[in-house]
Amino acid sequence: MNGQVKFIISQKHSSQQFESQEWQKIEHAFKQFVGLEHIKETLKSIAAWAVINQKREEFGLKTEKQSHHMLFYGNPGTGKTTAARVMATLLKELNILERGHLVEAERADLVGEYIGHTAVKTRELIKKAEGGILFIDEAYSLSRGGEKDFGREAIDTLVKHMEDSSGRFICILAGYKREMNGFLRMNTGLKSRFAHLLYFPDYTLNDLNHIAVNMFNIKDYKLSKPAGDRLLRSMREMGDISGNGRFVRNLTEFIIRAQAVRLLKYEELTKKDCMYISEDDVLKGIEGYKKDKQDHQ
Ligand SMILES: Nc1ncnc2c1ncn2[C@@H]1O[C@H](COP(=O)(O)OP(=O)(O)O)[C@@H](O)[C@H]1O
Ligand SMILES: [Mg+2]
């Protein structure tokens, strides 16, 4: 189908069946992630719209094409890239995107070095993203150089294709809230091209704890009760975490390595030994993390 997106849910099922089947797929895809409720709700509305559009077509009613370009706002580590990745796969599963791949890009991938180069680069990237998602991180950097900068050309090319090929790919622009607001103000008319504006709030301490516990579980590790308590307490004490999921991932990796170092001292190992994280592992892991952070400052 030439990279065309099929906005069609082909199975003929009742709307109730749809609600249970398609929405389950959405819930399932995000199962291992904490929060992101607003993303799930948006996806549910897109999936519902696609099904109803198909039904309307069957009844001979007018149908419309919709584009689903999105803006993601939020601090680093709040799950923007993660959500885009899951979304791409899921939209393929829901028959809304043909290929369901994610093309991650930043300023340098769009902006060229001489007149005309940028439009070519941007078009190539859009072509690569057909049937999937084009995810542009730190999108505000496209307007960094002001009027004369080639970033403008990238934005213009992008906007043109977003309109023309509505439905063939989804463009997601991501970035920090303040910078993105400034960027949108500089490019009047840009904001209206995006059907979905999604804010990624900072994670609370409880969310972060939940994310950490999930990460251990997914990797077949278990925290002992004191280890779990210690982790929560330490995260609270560290205080500078500002809702950051990446921080949690790094921390869990330090803790896992601290456990490995401890286990190497054992003469014999059981399955349980290999699974359990002790309070001391947590302490050592956090120590390692803090030291690493200091060294890189
Ligand atoms: N809701 C979440 N549930 C579980 N892990 C998460 C969640 N959000 C972020 N993470 C973790 O934090 C890391 C950073 O998230 P990422 O999507 O790269 O953030 P951003 O793109 O907003 O900077 C990811 O690798 C992921 O492991
Ligand atoms: Mg990111």
Side-chain angles (χ1 to χ4, degrees), residues 173-195:
L173 300 189
Y176 309 142
K177 192 171 179 203
R178 194 146 48 93
E179 278 87 346
M180 286 299 273
N181 278 335
F183 170 60
L184 292 173
R185 249 182 271 120
M186 275 179 69
N187 300 273
T188 45
L190 189 57
K191 198 168 176 177
S192 62
R193 307 283 200 304
F194 293 87

mmCIF file of all heavy atoms in Angstrom, residues 173-195:
data_model
loop_
_atom_site.group_PDB
_atom_site.id
_atom_site.type_symbol
_atom_site.label_atom_id
_atom_site.label_comp_id
_atom_site.label_asym_id
_atom_site.label_seq_id
_atom_site.Cartn_x
_atom_site.Cartn_y
_atom_site.Cartn_z
ATOM 1 N N LEU A 173 6.850 16.376 18.174
ATOM 2 C CA LEU A 173 7.910 17.293 18.586
ATOM 3 C C LEU A 173 7.990 17.259 20.104
ATOM 4 O O LEU A 173 6.970 17.376 20.783
ATOM 5 C CB LEU A 173 7.618 18.729 18.141
ATOM 6 C CG LEU A 173 7.459 19.026 16.640
ATOM 7 C CD1 LEU A 173 7.398 20.533 16.425
ATOM 8 C CD2 LEU A 173 8.594 18.439 15.831
ATOM 9 N N ALA A 174 9.200 17.095 20.625
ATOM 10 C CA ALA A 174 9.340 16.998 22.075
ATOM 11 C C ALA A 174 10.328 18.017 22.605
ATOM 12 O O ALA A 174 11.246 18.426 21.885
ATOM 13 C CB ALA A 174 9.791 15.595 22.453
ATOM 14 N N GLY A 175 10.132 18.405 23.857
ATOM 15 C CA GLY A 175 11.077 19.323 24.480
ATOM 16 C C GLY A 175 10.603 19.817 25.834
ATOM 17 O O GLY A 175 9.515 19.466 26.283
ATOM 18 N N TYR A 176 11.451 20.624 26.472
ATOM 19 C CA TYR A 176 11.068 21.197 27.771
ATOM 20 C C TYR A 176 9.924 22.169 27.581
ATOM 21 O O TYR A 176 9.815 22.812 26.550
ATOM 22 C CB TYR A 176 12.218 21.979 28.415
ATOM 23 C CG TYR A 176 13.512 21.252 28.490
ATOM 24 C CD1 TYR A 176 14.716 21.927 28.279
ATOM 25 C CD2 TYR A 176 13.559 19.899 28.781
ATOM 26 C CE1 TYR A 176 15.930 21.268 28.346
ATOM 27 C CE2 TYR A 176 14.765 19.240 28.850
ATOM 28 C CZ TYR A 176 15.934 19.922 28.628
ATOM 29 O OH TYR A 176 17.130 19.267 28.694
ATOM 30 N N LYS A 177 9.161 22.327 28.646
ATOM 31 C CA LYS A 177 7.945 23.123 28.535
ATOM 32 C C LYS A 177 8.235 24.581 28.130
ATOM 33 O O LYS A 177 7.655 25.100 27.190
ATOM 34 C CB LYS A 177 7.203 23.094 29.870
ATOM 35 C CG LYS A 177 5.810 23.639 29.745
ATOM 36 C CD LYS A 177 5.023 23.393 31.012
ATOM 37 C CE LYS A 177 3.630 23.981 30.858
ATOM 38 N NZ LYS A 177 3.012 24.269 32.131
ATOM 39 N N ARG A 178 9.158 25.189 28.856
ATOM 40 C CA ARG A 178 9.384 26.626 28.630
ATOM 41 C C ARG A 178 9.916 26.876 27.217
ATOM 42 O O ARG A 178 9.421 27.721 26.484
ATOM 43 C CB ARG A 178 10.345 27.170 29.691
ATOM 44 C CG ARG A 178 10.376 28.667 29.763
ATOM 45 C CD ARG A 178 10.607 29.150 31.183
ATOM 46 N NE ARG A 178 11.734 28.447 31.830
ATOM 47 C CZ ARG A 178 12.989 28.905 31.828
ATOM 48 N NH1 ARG A 178 13.289 30.029 31.267
ATOM 49 N NH2 ARG A 178 13.944 28.215 32.442
ATOM 50 N N GLU A 179 10.916 26.088 26.842
ATOM 51 C CA GLU A 179 11.514 26.259 25.515
ATOM 52 C C GLU A 179 10.501 25.979 24.413
ATOM 53 O O GLU A 179 10.469 26.669 23.404
ATOM 54 C CB GLU A 179 12.716 25.323 25.342
ATOM 55 C CG GLU A 179 14.000 25.853 25.944
ATOM 56 C CD GLU A 179 14.138 25.486 27.407
ATOM 57 O OE1 GLU A 179 13.134 25.052 28.005
ATOM 58 O OE2 GLU A 179 15.247 25.635 27.944
ATOM 59 N N MET A 180 9.681 24.974 24.623
ATOM 60 C CA MET A 180 8.693 24.618 23.594
ATOM 61 C C MET A 180 7.648 25.716 23.441
ATOM 62 O O MET A 180 7.220 26.013 22.329
ATOM 63 C CB MET A 180 8.008 23.289 23.934
ATOM 64 C CG MET A 180 8.880 22.078 23.716
ATOM 65 S SD MET A 180 9.399 21.877 22.009
ATOM 66 C CE MET A 180 8.028 20.968 21.361
ATOM 67 N N ASN A 181 7.263 26.313 24.564
ATOM 68 C CA ASN A 181 6.304 27.412 24.488
ATOM 69 C C ASN A 181 6.864 28.575 23.695
ATOM 70 O O ASN A 181 6.186 29.150 22.848
ATOM 71 C CB ASN A 181 5.900 27.876 25.892
ATOM 72 C CG ASN A 181 4.809 26.986 26.471
ATOM 73 O OD1 ASN A 181 4.064 26.362 25.721
ATOM 74 N ND2 ASN A 181 4.725 26.907 27.786
ATOM 75 N N GLY A 182 8.120 28.886 23.954
ATOM 76 C CA GLY A 182 8.796 29.957 23.225
ATOM 77 C C GLY A 182 8.857 29.637 21.739
ATOM 78 O O GLY A 182 8.587 30.493 20.890
ATOM 79 N N PHE A 183 9.197 28.425 21.451
ATOM 80 C CA PHE A 183 9.316 27.950 20.067
ATOM 81 C C PHE A 183 7.988 28.090 19.333
ATOM 82 O O PHE A 183 7.923 28.584 18.205
ATOM 83 C CB PHE A 183 9.756 26.482 20.125
ATOM 84 C CG PHE A 183 9.718 25.744 18.818
ATOM 85 C CD1 PHE A 183 10.474 26.177 17.743
ATOM 86 C CD2 PHE A 183 8.955 24.594 18.680
ATOM 87 C CE1 PHE A 183 10.456 25.480 16.533
ATOM 88 C CE2 PHE A 183 8.929 23.899 17.488
ATOM 89 C CZ PHE A 183 9.689 24.341 16.415
ATOM 90 N N LEU A 184 6.906 27.710 19.989
ATOM 91 C CA LEU A 184 5.589 27.773 19.351
ATOM 92 C C LEU A 184 5.155 29.224 19.136
ATOM 93 O O LEU A 184 4.500 29.543 18.153
ATOM 94 C CB LEU A 184 4.552 27.026 20.188
ATOM 95 C CG LEU A 184 4.760 25.513 20.235
ATOM 96 C CD1 LEU A 184 3.793 24.878 21.223
ATOM 97 C CD2 LEU A 184 4.581 24.887 18.861
ATOM 98 N N ARG A 185 5.575 30.084 20.067
ATOM 99 C CA ARG A 185 5.218 31.490 19.918
ATOM 100 C C ARG A 185 5.938 32.107 18.722
ATOM 101 O O ARG A 185 5.392 32.933 18.010
ATOM 102 C CB ARG A 185 5.570 32.261 21.205
ATOM 103 C CG ARG A 185 4.296 32.702 21.940
ATOM 104 C CD ARG A 185 4.593 33.493 23.186
ATOM 105 N NE ARG A 185 4.735 32.606 24.330
ATOM 106 C CZ ARG A 185 5.828 32.498 25.075
ATOM 107 N NH1 ARG A 185 6.904 33.213 24.820
ATOM 108 N NH2 ARG A 185 5.848 31.677 26.092
ATOM 109 N N MET A 186 7.151 31.651 18.488
ATOM 110 C CA MET A 186 7.925 32.179 17.354
ATOM 111 C C MET A 186 7.384 31.701 16.011
ATOM 112 O O MET A 186 7.646 32.292 14.978
ATOM 113 C CB MET A 186 9.378 31.717 17.468
ATOM 114 C CG MET A 186 10.205 32.616 18.347
ATOM 115 S SD MET A 186 11.887 31.989 18.451
ATOM 116 C CE MET A 186 12.491 32.289 16.789
ATOM 117 N N ASN A 187 6.712 30.583 16.038
ATOM 118 C CA ASN A 187 6.225 30.004 14.787
ATOM 119 C C ASN A 187 4.704 29.956 14.800
ATOM 120 O O ASN A 187 4.104 28.928 15.075
ATOM 121 C CB ASN A 187 6.789 28.587 14.619
ATOM 122 C CG ASN A 187 8.292 28.596 14.575
ATOM 123 O OD1 ASN A 187 8.894 28.763 13.530
ATOM 124 N ND2 ASN A 187 8.903 28.453 15.741
ATOM 125 N N THR A 188 4.129 31.077 14.507
ATOM 126 C CA THR A 188 2.671 31.160 14.599
ATOM 127 C C THR A 188 2.047 30.175 13.615
ATOM 128 O O THR A 188 2.536 29.990 12.506
ATOM 129 C CB THR A 188 2.172 32.584 14.272
ATOM 130 O OG1 THR A 188 2.871 33.025 13.125
ATOM 131 C CG2 THR A 188 2.410 33.535 15.419
ATOM 132 N N GLY A 189 0.991 29.576 14.036
ATOM 133 C CA GLY A 189 0.320 28.625 13.154
ATOM 134 C C GLY A 189 0.831 27.200 13.335
ATOM 135 O O GLY A 189 0.193 26.239 12.943
ATOM 136 N N LEU A 190 1.984 27.096 13.967
ATOM 137 C CA LEU A 190 2.568 25.759 14.148
ATOM 138 C C LEU A 190 1.739 24.925 15.133
ATOM 139 O O LEU A 190 1.434 23.765 14.892
ATOM 140 C CB LEU A 190 4.011 25.908 14.647
ATOM 141 C CG LEU A 190 4.871 24.664 14.694
ATOM 142 C CD1 LEU A 190 4.960 24.003 13.329
ATOM 143 C CD2 LEU A 190 6.277 24.993 15.178
ATOM 144 N N LYS A 191 1.372 25.575 16.216
ATOM 145 C CA LYS A 191 0.673 24.858 17.287
ATOM 146 C C LYS A 191 -0.616 24.193 16.782
ATOM 147 O O LYS A 191 -0.943 23.080 17.159
ATOM 148 C CB LYS A 191 0.347 25.844 18.405
ATOM 149 C CG LYS A 191 0.026 25.178 19.722
ATOM 150 C CD LYS A 191 0.001 26.207 20.832
ATOM 151 C CE LYS A 191 -0.423 25.589 22.144
ATOM 152 N NZ LYS A 191 -0.361 26.599 23.211
ATOM 153 N N SER A 192 -1.322 24.908 15.906
ATOM 154 C CA SER A 192 -2.605 24.387 15.437
ATOM 155 C C SER A 192 -2.452 23.150 14.556
ATOM 156 O O SER A 192 -3.411 22.451 14.266
ATOM 157 C CB SER A 192 -3.343 25.472 14.660
ATOM 158 O OG SER A 192 -2.576 25.823 13.529
ATOM 159 N N ARG A 193 -1.230 22.879 14.122
ATOM 160 C CA ARG A 193 -1.003 21.692 13.289
ATOM 161 C C ARG A 193 -0.953 20.433 14.138
ATOM 162 O O ARG A 193 -0.933 19.328 13.636
ATOM 163 C CB ARG A 193 0.331 21.799 12.528
ATOM 164 C CG ARG A 193 0.515 23.060 11.729
ATOM 165 C CD ARG A 193 -0.268 22.985 10.463
ATOM 166 N NE ARG A 193 0.042 23.829 9.342
ATOM 167 C CZ ARG A 193 0.113 25.138 9.270
ATOM 168 N NH1 ARG A 193 0.043 25.873 10.338
ATOM 169 N NH2 ARG A 193 0.274 25.756 8.128
ATOM 170 N N PHE A 194 -0.897 20.608 15.437
ATOM 171 C CA PHE A 194 -0.771 19.445 16.319
ATOM 172 C C PHE A 194 -2.090 19.133 17.002
ATOM 173 O O PHE A 194 -2.657 19.974 17.701
ATOM 174 C CB PHE A 194 0.335 19.684 17.363
ATOM 175 C CG PHE A 194 1.679 19.756 16.721
ATOM 176 C CD1 PHE A 194 2.161 20.964 16.231
ATOM 177 C CD2 PHE A 194 2.447 18.624 16.547
ATOM 178 C CE1 PHE A 194 3.391 21.043 15.597
ATOM 179 C CE2 PHE A 194 3.676 18.682 15.917
ATOM 180 C CZ PHE A 194 4.147 19.898 15.441
ATOM 181 N N ALA A 195 -2.564 17.934 16.760
ATOM 182 C CA ALA A 195 -3.862 17.549 17.298
ATOM 183 C C ALA A 195 -3.795 17.274 18.799
ATOM 184 O O ALA A 195 -4.769 17.457 19.516
ATOM 185 C CB ALA A 195 -4.354 16.311 16.567
#
